[in-house]
Amino acid sequence: MNILVILIPMALAMGALGLGAFLWSIKSRQFEDIEGASWRVILDDDDLPDEAKR
Amino acid sequence: MSTVLPRPDNRDFSHYLTPAPEDRVRMDFVVDGIHCAACAARIERAFAQEPELSVARVNLTEKRLTVEWNDAKQVDPPQVLARLEALGFTGYPFRVAEREASEKAEEQRLIRALGVAGFAMMNIMLLSVSVWSGNETGLSREARDFFHWISALIALPTAAYSGRPFFDSAIRSLKARAVNMDVPISLGILLALGISVWETTHSGEHAYFDGAVMLIFFLLIGRVLDQMMMRKTRAVASNLAALRAETVTRILPDGTLKEVAAATVEPGQLVLVRPGERIGVDGLIERGTSDIDQSLVTGETAHQAVQPGMDVHAGTMNLSGTLEIRVRHAAASTLLARIEALLAHATEKRAGYVRLADRAARAYAPVVHTAAALTFIGWMLWGLSWQSALLISVTVLIITCPCALGLAIPAVQVVASGAMFRRSILLHAGDALERLAEVDTVVFDKTGTLTLPEPVIANRKEIPDRLLTIAGRLALSSRHPLAVAIAKAGGADNPFRDVRETPGQGLEAEDSRVKIRLGSPAFCGAEAEAKAVSLAYPEASLIAMRCETDVAVFAIRQPLRADARATIEMLKGLGLSVEILSGDREIPVASVAKTLGIEHWQASIEPGGKVARLEELRAQGRKVLMVGDGINDAPALAAAHVSISPVSATDLAQAQADLLVMGASLAPVADAIRIARKARRLMTQNLWLAVIYNAIAVPIAIAGLATPFVAAIAMSGSSLIVTTNAMRARFAEGNS
């Protein structure tokens, strides 16, 4: 049972990491233009303007 | 830049500029013509080459472009507009309304809460499953307590953060001495958490942390989807407002002209309105005479002559002469003051409507709470200790906690408003669906609602093509809306040279020594012919033309929407009675009513009269849908049980309407009612599903057999069932 002392914090840490990533993605406005984002992925264009600028 | 188009640059954009980080200046544009990702990419790529812009990003969902200039000195909105035009798009300056900004913030808050709840739910479930299986296979008591403590450590802060939307709403509702759905939800969450903490501290077997957090998570999904749909709808609505480009031309004290946003004009300032422009302000005419078309304001289609000293209203169209108007305070104008008083009255009356969900909550809460109390008393009499009896009665409350009930209505709302969005209907308020479903009478305004806002030639077939072509060429030289209609019908694109315009009379030109005139029948010496035409088309405005001895008289009127008749028939087929209430004269209203087969109609009605008629109908127990677009319709829109405006409507009307219909078609009105009825049916079904679920779950809980495992299964199962059922609102095709 002692293994729990390691496993549970590990599980929690991984969950928290996911949550952190999610909150970060909201903060960086990734949910503002859901339609556009879905297309940006497949647009065959390496030099999309704002990647170059930011 | 070589692509800059010539454009008068006296426009003032300061209203639209907002500061951005690092001294940058930001401005938003609504872009008309973006349809796909390729358009968006093309725009972004083009703007990427501009050195003075630090950011240019297209939001495809909202069809907007955001640009940021490096610093204030480089700000140049006209160049952005010109650049867009060169790419084949039309840009309109846009300012994010405060309300929209706060809605966006609310949505972000909900998504964050959802994320936190999701994280918590997964982790607690991990622990809970261990406990459940451990209970069967001999998990040590210490290990179970340890798991429960960790669950509590996650669940309590999560509930405090993610449960806020429900708690806040419940408190608000209780303060107003009412019960809404969030009251039993909040109570359920708090009880589940409370009893779980008690169990944990007493190293008990049953903790409901997973159930409480799962409840929050499921309900938040409903809220987030609802909010997203609403925001999408509102974004479209405010884009349309920007497309109408509410700008006015100010006359500065030194006599120069400047084009500014209508919202920035202040009382006492002077504005210039040219012929063919819509008047953007309420005010007093200071100089100039003209005719104005007031159809958007009063519903009256006959034009009114105006002169200095007369009041004009925002939304009217200036037809023939240039006007200088002194801006008045909105409330100072008599018509608007009267309409605002009517509005305040009407809005007050409607506040009495109770949403279906809240009605369900009011019926549900007492039953469940009584059941819980009886359970407690029953087990006490049976001889159980008061702690155990209390524990069982609280599980009754937890298991009946309206997870399914909380989702039953929002889920349908989201799906139905999505279905409406695809049919060009924008839903302003969620509960409008329920109200729309109850409607049994539809009252239409005529002008701009049953008819289209742009006039066309009614007697096109009676006019020789040759004359129409000539008239069209001549009409190209005027911005008068009637002339525009003739020019469009004539299909001409080469105007005559040396056209003289006599204000208020008409146009004159000479082509190979032939004199051509276009204008009022008197101006063209065509009174006799005009009389004959006016008998055939009593409701139309007449424009005559003379070319030597050839004379033609055009009867011009606002045409009925193409599918108006079919829509009225469809509405009647749905069992609704239809009426017209118009501010226009009797003759045109009667002719429209006859064409559409509507028996009940009233003409020349004042705004107050429309409200009075609606109240009369209400007194008869009717539920009325009002469809209207004018300023004069606004009080009636607010007074009706539910209301719809076309997007061409005035701002005041749109603000009062529960739904907006886009495009030239009237059919969405019938579609909206059909979808709403189907949605309403699904809502009721869902509520019954929730009742059935309770009928099964409550006896189990009363018997004391509801373990946290049973609760978790029951909650997720019932939520899935009602959500799946709600999806059926997508398919509201055909007759329902």
Side-chain angles (χ1 to χ4, degrees):
Chain A
M1 274 315 214
N2 288 339
I3 192 73
L4 284 180
V5 179
I6 301 164
L7 283 182
I8 288 183
M10 249 174 79
L12 289 182
M14 277 161 68
L17 212 68
L19 178 66
F22 181 66
L23 292 180
W24 167 80
S25 71
I26 295 174
K27 205 173 171 192
S28 59
R29 306 176 149 207
Q30 298 193 18
F31 285 83
E32 290 216 344
D33 181 15
I34 295 176
E35 232 170 278
S38 63
W39 283 102
R40 272 170 214 275
V41 180
I42 57 164
L43 273 184
D44 197 19
D45 210 331
D46 296 330
D47 56 347
L48 265 185
D50 39 299
E51 264 83 5
K53 296 214 155 183
R54 260 175 217 219
Chain B
M1 206 169 72
S2 60
T3 44
V4 177
L5 298 171
R7 187 185 255 281
D9 265 327
N10 54 359
R11 299 178 71 179
D12 177 15
F13 292 96
S14 54
H15 175 58
Y16 301 103
L17 299 173
T18 46
E22 294 167 33
D23 284 342
R24 294 197 297 260
V25 180
R26 177 188 157 129
M27 184 166 165
D28 295 300
F29 297 86
V30 171
V31 184
D32 198 15
I34 298 187
H35 297 297
C36 61
C39 307
R42 206 146 64 86
I43 293 173
E44 288 188 350
R45 218 172 299 136
F47 278 99
Q49 293 155 11
E50 309 279 329
E52 69 274 13
L53 293 178
S54 50
V55 175
R57 191 170 176 89
V58 172
N59 185 324
L60 192 62
T61 316
E62 295 170 345
K63 313 270 187 278
R64 290 179 195 156
L65 165 71
T66 302
V67 300
E68 283 180 22
W69 287 275
N70 293 325
D71 62 70
K73 272 175 273 162
Q74 294 174 327
V75 171
D76 189 4
Q79 193 184 355
V80 173
L81 291 174
R83 184 95 220 193
L84 278 174
E85 206 148 314
L87 290 166
F89 301 96
T90 320
Y92 300 87
F94 178 76
R95 191 166 121 131
V96 180
E98 230 144 83
R99 196 171 117 190
E100 201 183 314
S102 75
E103 294 231 319
K104 204 176 237 180
E106 172 67 20
E107 185 183 311
Q108 301 251 303
R109 208 168 67 96
L110 281 175
I111 295 182
R112 264 199 304 273
L114 180 69
V116 171
F119 155 77
M121 188 184 74
M122 286 188 286
N123 282 285
I124 295 174
M125 209 36 103
L126 186 78
L127 298 165
S128 291
V129 170
S130 320
V131 172
W132 296 336
S133 51
N135 279 344
E136 303 300 319
T137 55
L139 181 74
S140 77
R141 206 174 140 140
E142 291 74 29
R144 189 179 66 209
D145 287 351
F146 176 59
F147 280 13
H148 279 168
W149 274 115
I150 296 174
S151 301
L153 221 59
I154 305 170
L156 294 177
T158 302
Y161 179 73
S162 296
R164 276 286 296 282
F166 307 104
F167 301 148
D168 287 349
S169 153
I171 290 170
R172 239 179 291 131
S173 155
L174 286 177
K175 269 189 187 155
R177 291 173 187 282
V179 177
N180 67 4
M181 198 48 98
D182 289 333
V183 174
I185 289 174
S186 302
L187 198 65
I189 295 171
L190 290 178
L191 279 176
L193 289 175
I195 200 161
S196 306
V197 170
W198 194 85
E199 281 274 291
T200 306
T201 51
H202 291 73
S203 69
E205 201 177 319
H206 297 319
Y208 294 89
F209 294 115
D210 52 283
V213 176
M214 186 161 48
L215 182 69
I216 296 175
F217 180 70
F218 278 142
L219 293 174
L220 274 175
I221 291 179
R223 301 263 155 128
V224 168
L225 289 177
D226 201 26
Q227 182 77 17
M228 282 175 125
M229 194 64 226
M230 281 295 160
R231 194 165 74 80
K232 191 172 171 189
T233 311
R234 297 232 168 87
V236 173
S238 49
N239 279 6
L240 289 166
L243 253 55
R244 281 187 290 168
E246 292 153 43
T247 61
V248 296
T249 311
R250 252 191 79 191
I251 307 175
L252 300 180
D254 61 6
T256 53
L257 300 178
K258 191 163 203 178
E259 209 178 320
V260 300
T264 62
V265 179
E266 282 167 27
Q269 293 178 339
L270 203 59
V271 303
L272 183 83
V273 185
R274 301 180 191 88
E277 282 181 356
R278 208 165 268 292
I279 297 173
V281 296
D282 296 302
L284 196 71
I285 299 179
E286 201 137 282
R287 194 176 302 163
T289 56
S290 176
D291 296 299
I292 59 170
D293 174 357
Q294 302 208 74
S295 58
L296 259 185
V297 178
T298 61
E300 167 72 72
T301 47
H303 302 151
Q304 191 196 4
V306 291
Q307 60 195 52
M310 288 176 76
D311 258 334
V312 287
H313 302 292
T316 51
M317 172 77 88
N318 181 24
L319 298 176
S320 48
T322 301
L323 296 174
E324 284 179 24
I325 296 168
R326 180 75 62 186
V327 182
R328 277 200 182 189
H329 202 275
S333 129
T334 48
L335 174 73
L336 283 184
R338 211 164 66 225
I339 280 177
E340 254 157 44
L342 281 170
L343 261 179
H345 178 70
T347 317
E348 216 171 87
K349 286 230 156 165
R350 187 198 276 176
Y353 183 78
V354 185
R355 285 165 159 246
L356 192 58
D358 296 340
R359 264 183 284 165
R362 278 179 202 178
Y364 159 93
V367 172
V368 169
H369 294 164
T370 316
L374 289 178
T375 309
F376 177 69
I377 296 167
W379 280 110
M380 284 288 281
L381 293 178
W382 187 259
L384 231 58
S385 70
W386 69 268
Q387 287 103 328
S388 310
L390 186 67
L391 203 68
I392 293 174
S393 69
V394 170
T395 51
V396 171
L397 284 180
I398 294 172
I399 205 142
T400 55
C401 186
C403 190
L405 218 49
L407 274 176
I409 286 163
V412 177
Q413 242 166 44
V414 170
V415 179
S417 60
M420 286 193 169
F421 190 84
R422 279 190 299 278
R423 287 174 179 71
S424 329
I425 306 158
L426 305 180
L427 190 66
H428 264 321
D431 63 331
L433 269 178
E434 304 166 17
R435 285 185 272 125
L436 192 58
E438 297 172 348
V439 155
D440 54 18
T441 308
V442 187
V443 173
F444 282 99
D445 164 53
K446 179 186 78 75
T447 319
T449 305
L450 289 173
T451 62
L452 282 169
E454 284 93 34
V456 297
I457 301 175
N459 59 345
R460 168 74 186 79
K461 287 190 187 116
E462 297 153 31
I463 292 167
D465 283 346
R466 185 180 69 87
L467 290 181
L468 183 62
T469 312
I470 297 173
R473 283 182 66 191
L474 189 51
L476 279 175
S477 306
S478 170
R479 291 182 64 189
H480 194 294
L482 299 184
V484 171
I486 294 178
K488 212 168 148 192
D493 51 6
N494 47 337
F496 290 114
R497 261 174 271 160
D498 301 328
V499 177
R500 268 172 298 126
E501 178 158 15
T502 317
Q505 296 287 320
L507 305 161
E508 187 176 19
E510 211 164 307
D511 185 43
S512 43
R513 297 223 184 133
V514 178
K515 267 201 182 146
I516 310 165
R517 280 187 163 192
L518 180 75
S520 68
F523 180 66
C524 303
E527 279 105 332
E529 289 87 344
K531 202 165 256 174
V533 174
S534 82
L535 280 180
Y537 300 93
E539 73 279 19
S541 308
L542 301 183
I543 292 284
M545 77 156 300
R546 174 175 284 279
C547 177
E548 297 264 84
T549 54
D550 291 327
V551 172
V553 176
F554 302 93
I556 298 175
R557 66 176 172 197
Q558 296 177 327
L560 281 175
R561 289 181 193 257
D563 56 355
R565 206 192 148 81
T567 304
I568 300 290
E569 248 146 47
M570 219 182 315
L571 289 174
K572 285 183 173 168
L574 289 171
L576 300 154
S577 66
V578 183
E579 262 183 52
I580 299 180
L581 292 182
S582 177
D584 203 0
R585 290 153 301 146
E586 192 167 332
I587 301 167
V589 180
S591 108
V592 164
K594 197 170 153 221
T595 320
L596 296 179
I598 298 173
E599 293 94 39
H600 302 284
W601 54 269
Q602 292 181 41
S604 307
I605 287 202
E606 296 264 297
K610 293 196 181 193
V611 175
R613 173 68 186 146
L614 291 182
E615 271 168 15
E616 196 181 312
L617 286 167
R618 185 207 302 269
Q620 292 168 13
R622 302 286 201 86
K623 305 262 195 248
V624 181
L625 161 66
M626 173 81 204
V627 190
D629 73 324
I631 288 176
N632 63 329
D633 295 318
L637 290 169
H641 193 57
V642 59
S643 49
I644 301 184
S645 273
V647 283
S648 55
T650 51
D651 291 336
L652 194 61
Q654 285 193 10
Q656 300 307 324
D658 297 307
L659 298 97
L660 285 183
V661 169
M662 296 188 280
S665 165
L666 201 61
V669 173
D671 285 344
I673 294 178
R674 256 210 314 266
I675 296 175
R677 284 186 173 178
K678 173 141 191 183
R680 161 94 185 191
R681 220 171 36 240
L682 290 172
M683 286 176 188
T684 325
Q685 260 174 28
N686 271 355
L687 289 175
W688 278 111
L689 282 174
V691 168
I692 292 171
Y693 151 75
N694 276 329
I696 299 168
V698 169
I700 297 176
I702 290 178
L705 300 173
T707 60
F709 175 64
V710 173
I713 296 287
M715 269 186 197
S716 44
S718 63
S719 302
L720 275 178
I721 290 173
V722 294
T723 314
T724 314
N725 193 37
M727 294 308 287
R728 301 200 299 144
R730 284 174 74 95
F731 312 107
E733 243 82 38
N735 266 331
S736 49

